[in-house]
Amino acid sequence: MNLQLRPAIVSFIAISVLTGVAYPLLVTGLGKAIFPRQAGGSLIRKGGQVIGSEWIAQSFTSPRDFWSRPSATVDANNKPLPYNGANSGGSNLAPSNPDLAKAVTERIAALQAADPETRDPVPVDLVTASGSGLDPHISPASAAYQVRRVAKARGLDEAKVRDLVSAHIEPPQFGVLGEARVNVLKLNLALDGLGSK
Amino acid sequence: MSHAWSQNLLYLALLLSLAFPLGTYMAKVLEGGRTFLHPVLGSLEQGLYRLMGIREDEDMGWKAYAWSITLIKLLGLAAVFLLMKTQAALPLNPEHQANVATGLSINTAVSFITNTNWQAYSGETTLSYLTQMLGLTVQNFLSAATGIAVLVALIRGITRRNATGLGNAWVDLVRSTLYILLPMSFVFALFLVSQGVIQNLSAYIHTAGGQVLAMGPAASQVAIKMLGTNGGGFFGANAAHPFENSSPLSNFVQILSILLIPAALCVTFGHMVKDRRQGWALLAAMTLIFVGALTVCTHAEVKGNPALSPLGVTQVASRVAGQEQPGGNMEGKELRFGPGGSALWATATTAASNGSVNAMHDSFTPLGGLVPMWLMQLGEVVFGGVGSGLYGMLMFALVGVFIGGLMVGRTPEYLGKKVEAFEMKMASIAILLPCAAVLIGAAISVLVANAAASVSNPGPHGFSQILYAWSSASNNNGSAFGGLSVNTPFYNYGLALAMLLGRFGVIWPVLALSGSLVKKKHTPEGLGTLPTHTPLFVGVLVGVVLLVGALTFIPALALGPIAEHLALR
């Protein structure tokens, strides 16, 4: 039987060069030329320094800021390190796992401790860990839930903060794709721009 | 009401309408016709044949065809393994990723040559850019191209009469790569970059605040990972990672790209057997099962997790201006996709052999997680993998005409070819081998103490994690209930074996069957022939698929997701 070695080796090398070298390098070159910002990670700079990416959530824990969705990412030794942009992942907790209910209870308690007057039910996205641990968005309802706390901590008018949130709501694309959302990093940066009393 | 349902409808409409032009185009390519890309790529194609020392019209028997496919896979296995074992010393490794351990390297190499893309590692902490490009991206192309090649060989077995040759494996591989996969990936990758998916060779970025952002050539790999139903993520979180799937639009188009080629291949099939209705019937059967599965999964995820309701959270979707929220089961999901965009992805990725995820399936509701698990267990014939989905469905079609033939007492035939004992044996092996691998693998894991210890969730869900892993590997899917710790010798080698069985244990019987069909003469349609383009046959086909899946797996599913569902309140 003809062993087919020559066509196997030649086609393997040729397809490797085409799809493993030429194709990714061409996309890299063209991507950089046509969409330089996106190809490089949609970075946000302030005073010449990179302070983050538009697409990657950051840790906000002060009552003065809007908080991101919880993150279950870990460090190299598997210890919790939320919002680790170099090791994405979710909690993988089952809906029936008591640890999930416990984590959600603790997160609700933390939100209420930061804003003791509120007793409204918390929108579910604000107390559940995202799939990547890097979800840059919260729902408009979750932003609204935090308006009073943020306004109070910054000494701002609630209405002013609410208007800022409204201006940052992105609707579902074309009306049906995905969900309405608010980018937390962009919102907090705009908030810093407002100053405080 | 959640957006989910209108998004689902739009998805089905677009998928089915795009399948027709693409299917027609692919038929032209695979039959060697000239396309609009030939002026650009035609001389490259001919040059490759000269270098390889083959003639375009050189036919192969089924054994030579199967051997050629196996041989190029073995070369891929060696290449990926060597890249992983030596990446520390090779270029394009700005993060100085170390060489990878042997068990994990073998598991990963097997995983990518079999179109599984099971990942016991996290891309951004383990692999160099060179390994991702030259190792994994190449296999993404090749494993999809082999899927198409095997399908075309099977179609030739059906259409050719009194012959022995099934076509030339090398020509089929080159044509699928050059005229179908490469141009589509190229355009798709650039679209993804425009949406925010990254594509660069930079070192990781350290922000002023101390956050580290992983970088890399993601878009080029994501494009073929989706189109080729491979599914292996560039990053650990796969398509949940915003750098891999940034916007609702990129999400929607990526889900479309999972099922696009598999759906279009049904149309291609109709063209190649010169009876388009035959392709439509297969497409209709697939669509019916898909719609049922999608409805259950979407409903379960939109409804949310009953265990969280008493804690003071609201899981009800709202579209009130300024108070919008997706609600539903949001643990492990991304806000921009919501439960709807995540359920649609989960259904599509397991209907096909894709296995990428945009949400963590481990955190799905019990019924929401049952759907992807069962779709894999059905053998991924609902659209299925590129090529492999349709050749898998054709095995079920043969079983369908066989059962129909038994009922009326005639020798069954499919598209003019008599289906006899040998064909039934091969079809049964191709259908039952992966099923056996799932159940035996899961049973052993439960019995072996250190394999059972990999479970991360208590109760029935722990069993679901194990069952899901074996369903995924044996059917070359690659998605996971990710809490299961699988980077252990038991799972690395055990699942690698299941992946090989699930790929080659199907490809070889399919090609043997095709080699037997191709020799047969054409049997003209008679009164006793069961027509295979009618709604009646679509019903028979759906029935056979569901029956085999139900009889084989309901007992196991009852111990996992069904038990969890009944206990969860």
Side-chain angles (χ1 to χ4, degrees), chain A residues 1-12 14-21 23-32 34-43 45 49-59 69 72 76 82-102 104-105 107-108 112 120-125 127-145 162 165-166 169 171-182, chain B residues 2-3 6-7 10 44 48 50-54 60 63-64 67-68 71-72 75-76 79 122 124-125 133-134 137-139 141-142 170 173-174 177-178 182 185-186 189-190 193-201 204-205 207-208 211-215 217 219-221 223-224 235-237 240-243 246-249 252 305 307-308 311-315 319 322-328 330-340 360 362-366 456-458 461 465 481-483 564 568:
Chain A
M1 193 166 102
N2 174 0
L3 268 180
Q4 302 285 347
L5 272 178
R6 177 174 163 194
I9 293 170
V10 172
S11 62
F12 184 72
I15 290 180
S16 293
V17 171
L18 262 179
T19 64
V21 181
Y23 157 70
L25 292 184
L26 191 62
V27 175
T28 308
L30 282 175
K32 199 170 177 185
I34 312 173
F35 310 107
R37 199 179 69 84
Q38 292 96 316
S42 308
L43 302 175
R45 291 186 164 80
Q49 281 186 308
V50 174
I51 57 163
S53 162
E54 157 181 357
W55 293 116
I56 305 294
Q58 300 190 4
S59 176
R69 293 189 58 202
Y83 311 102
N84 181 359
N87 193 8
S88 55
S91 71
N92 285 312
L93 290 175
S96 58
N97 193 329
D99 289 349
L100 174 63
K102 192 168 151 246
V104 169
T105 309
R107 291 165 188 154
I108 294 173
Q112 289 180 343
D120 298 337
V122 186
V124 66
D125 62 280
V127 288
T128 44
S130 62
S132 62
L134 306 170
D135 191 343
H137 300 112
I138 54 177
S139 67
S142 291
Y145 183 89
R162 191 163 289 119
V165 169
S166 297
I169 295 177
Q173 277 176 302
F174 311 110
V176 292
L177 303 187
E179 304 290 342
R181 61 214 178 275
V182 174
Chain B
S2 155
H3 293 123
S6 29
Q7 186 170 254
L10 181 68
L44 180 61
L48 278 178
R50 273 195 297 279
L51 269 178
M52 290 154 74
I54 59 160
M60 291 177 174
K63 281 182 191 150
W67 167 245
S68 303
L71 187 59
I72 199 163
L75 289 175
S122 193
E124 65 264 45
T125 58
M133 287 164 46
L134 194 55
T137 303
V138 171
Q139 290 311 312
F141 277 97
L142 266 177
W170 308 116
L173 283 179
V174 167
T177 308
L178 273 189
L182 200 52
S185 301
F186 177 68
L190 284 178
V193 178
S194 80
Q195 292 299 300
V197 176
I198 61 172
Q199 177 76 20
N200 59 57
L201 301 170
Y204 292 1
I205 287 172
T207 69
Q211 194 181 29
V212 183
L213 304 176
M215 291 283 125
S220 55
Q221 189 164 333
I224 183 61
F235 298 108
H241 198 300
F243 277 162
S246 42
S247 64
L249 181 62
F252 187 76
N305 177 2
L308 299 188
L311 305 179
V313 297
T314 161
Q315 301 183 78
R319 298 177 78 169
Q323 291 288 343
E324 297 101 330
Q325 64 152 323
M330 283 302 288
E331 180 70 22
K333 293 194 177 61
E334 299 286 295
L335 193 274
R336 60 196 179 284
F337 314 140
M360 298 302 125
D362 215 348
S363 299
F364 270 37
T365 60
S456 71
N457 282 302
H461 194 92
Q465 289 184 306
F481 274 8
E564 187 189 9
L568 186 66

Side-chain angles (χ1 to χ4, degrees), chain B residues 63-224:
Chain B
K63 281 182 191 150
Y65 202 103
W67 167 245
S68 303
I69 297 280
T70 309
L71 187 59
I72 199 163
K73 295 278 178 182
L74 290 175
L75 289 175
L77 182 78
V80 175
F81 180 76
L82 287 177
L83 275 168
M84 292 182 78
K85 291 304 289 179
T86 57
Q87 63 175 12
L90 298 175
L92 290 179
N93 187 7
E95 292 305 311
H96 310 288
Q97 307 283 11
N99 295 333
V100 184
T102 302
L104 183 56
S105 300
I106 287 184
N107 179 279
T108 306
V110 167
S111 165
F112 276 77
I113 65 159
T114 56
N115 198 263
T116 311
N117 298 28
W118 173 263
Q119 294 173 295
Y121 65 92
S122 193
E124 65 264 45
T125 58
T126 315
L127 297 183
S128 75
Y129 297 163
L130 188 74
T131 307
Q132 298 261 29
M133 287 164 46
L134 194 55
L136 305 188
T137 303
V138 171
Q139 290 311 312
N140 282 351
F141 277 97
L142 266 177
S143 64
T146 44
I148 297 180
V150 172
L151 171 66
V152 175
L154 174 60
I155 297 177
R156 291 192 189 112
I158 295 172
T159 52
R160 292 183 180 178
R161 296 161 192 183
N162 310 316
T164 52
L166 296 177
N168 188 301
W170 308 116
V171 172
D172 291 332
L173 283 179
V174 167
R175 281 183 187 152
S176 315
T177 308
L178 273 189
Y179 297 109
I180 300 172
L181 299 171
L182 200 52
M184 286 177 77
S185 301
F186 177 68
V187 175
F188 189 30
L190 284 178
F191 164 77
L192 289 173
V193 178
S194 80
Q195 292 299 300
V197 176
I198 61 172
Q199 177 76 20
N200 59 57
L201 301 170
S202 322
Y204 292 1
I205 287 172
H206 294 253
T207 69
Q211 194 181 29
V212 183
L213 304 176
M215 291 283 125
S220 55
Q221 189 164 333
V222 172
I224 183 61

